[in-house]
Amino acid sequence: MKFRAILNDDYDFKDEEFREFAFKPWHKTVIYFLIIWTIVNILAVIYIKAGKFIYFWDDSTYWDISRKIASGALNEGGLWRNVYNSIAEQDYNYIAGLPSAVLARLFGDSRLVYVTGLVNMYLLPSFVFIYLLAKKVSKAPKIAAVITVMLCPSMMFLAFNGFVDIGGLLLCLICFNLYYIRKDNKIQVGGGVWRYMLIGVLLVFMMLWRRWFAFFAVSFVTAMLADCVLFRRKWYGAAITIACAGGVLIAFFRDFVFYKLLLDYGNLYSGYKFSIGTD
């Protein structure tokens, strides 16, 4: 407190009031993300309104699925039974369409609702988890997060063009944040058995979300094992993750493993080789 404040009660009151309402670090972080949220949503609206596209294949598949779920077209025989059966029977199962179907039911099934839903459910939370991960590994997390996002323009491309794969990316980032923790100003691994169990469940869920995320799941587990060998970390974390993921797959999604993950895609899509050779 300054000397003149000793004889000036009014000044002392204002000084304390200013100190009480001064911006705290988390206030600045909230404002930082509110600005990003506003800008990204405006860009998404402009992109959809200004675009003149014929949506097809993966651009429209999950938009169509979400509209069918919202309209009740898939309710015959039970919605949840159809969703579960689609995991092993359909190339595009219905899981990734469920969150968008809720928005379609509430706000309509327009393309704008669908894309802004992907932006706010998956893209912007991905930015948050990139920032949280940057806080663990960088001394300037906001700058590191911005650079990371700018180096990965495909994130916004996926969301703006209607690819639900951006939801799988969010799951990947959650796994990284669960694996790495910061303790005593040092980055560490683990933090509890529940973290490894949850990672195992998330690895399975991202495979169900879009089956090609199986490549990430295998890579993540391989990296965990390499981390144990190279840095002499305890092996039980990787073992728990593998056991949990394998147990969930075999117990609940055995048909998905045999009919989708272990399918001979090289032979199935061999026709693409002909077009490459003749173009």
Side-chain angles (χ1 to χ4, degrees), residues 141-158:
K142 291 185 177 67
I143 296 175
V146 169
I147 292 174
T148 301
V149 171
M150 292 180 68
L151 290 175
C152 300
S154 57
M155 294 175 63
M156 295 184 67
F157 172 83
L158 288 172

Side-chain angles (χ1 to χ4, degrees), residues 38-239:
T38 303
I39 292 173
V40 173
N41 274 279
I42 290 174
L43 290 175
V45 172
I46 293 173
Y47 186 85
I48 297 302
K49 292 293 186 180
K52 305 294 182 182
F53 301 109
I54 297 175
Y55 301 108
F56 68 100
W57 211 346
D58 283 13
D59 277 1
S60 65
T61 300
Y62 277 99
W63 183 26
D64 291 337
I65 290 174
S66 66
R67 289 187 293 178
K68 288 178 181 178
I69 295 174
S71 67
L74 300 178
N75 287 352
E76 185 177 354
L79 174 61
W80 295 111
R81 176 177 293 181
N82 290 332
V83 170
Y84 182 78
N85 291 338
S86 72
I87 293 172
E89 297 174 358
Q90 303 289 336
D91 284 336
Y92 297 89
N93 71 61
Y94 304 151
I95 290 178
L98 289 172
S100 297
V102 175
L103 296 181
R105 193 71 179 267
L106 294 174
F107 305 107
D109 59 3
S110 68
R111 182 72 179 182
L112 182 61
V113 170
Y114 175 68
V115 170
T116 53
L118 297 183
V119 167
N120 289 281
M121 288 190 296
Y122 311 128
L123 179 63
L124 292 170
S126 294
F127 290 168
V128 173
F129 278 100
I130 288 174
Y131 170 71
L132 294 176
L133 188 60
K135 285 186 68 176
K136 298 174 182 179
V137 300
S138 174
K139 294 182 179 179
K142 291 185 177 67
I143 296 175
V146 169
I147 292 174
T148 301
V149 171
M150 292 180 68
L151 290 175
C152 300
S154 57
M155 294 175 63
M156 295 184 67
F157 172 83
L158 288 172
F160 285 11
N161 285 278
F163 292 97
V164 294
D165 307 71
I166 189 65
L169 175 62
L170 175 61
L171 297 174
C172 296
L173 290 168
I174 294 174
C175 287
F176 279 118
N177 275 277
L178 286 170
Y179 188 70
Y180 290 108
I181 62 173
R182 192 169 185 85
K183 188 175 181 181
D184 299 328
N185 292 324
K186 293 181 180 180
I187 187 168
Q188 298 181 12
V189 169
V193 172
W194 69 270
R195 287 178 177 267
Y196 297 115
M197 294 179 67
L198 185 54
I199 289 173
V201 172
L202 289 174
L203 292 179
V204 172
F205 188 63
M206 70 177 65
M207 293 184 221
L208 303 179
W209 189 266
R210 293 287 277 152
R211 62 175 179 257
W212 66 266
F213 277 104
F215 291 110
F216 174 86
V218 173
S219 300
F220 193 89
V221 170
T222 303
M224 290 178 69
L225 293 172
D227 194 27
C228 294
V229 173
L230 296 176
F231 299 98
R232 298 181 179 179
R233 303 189 193 278
K234 295 180 179 179
W235 58 269
Y236 73 88

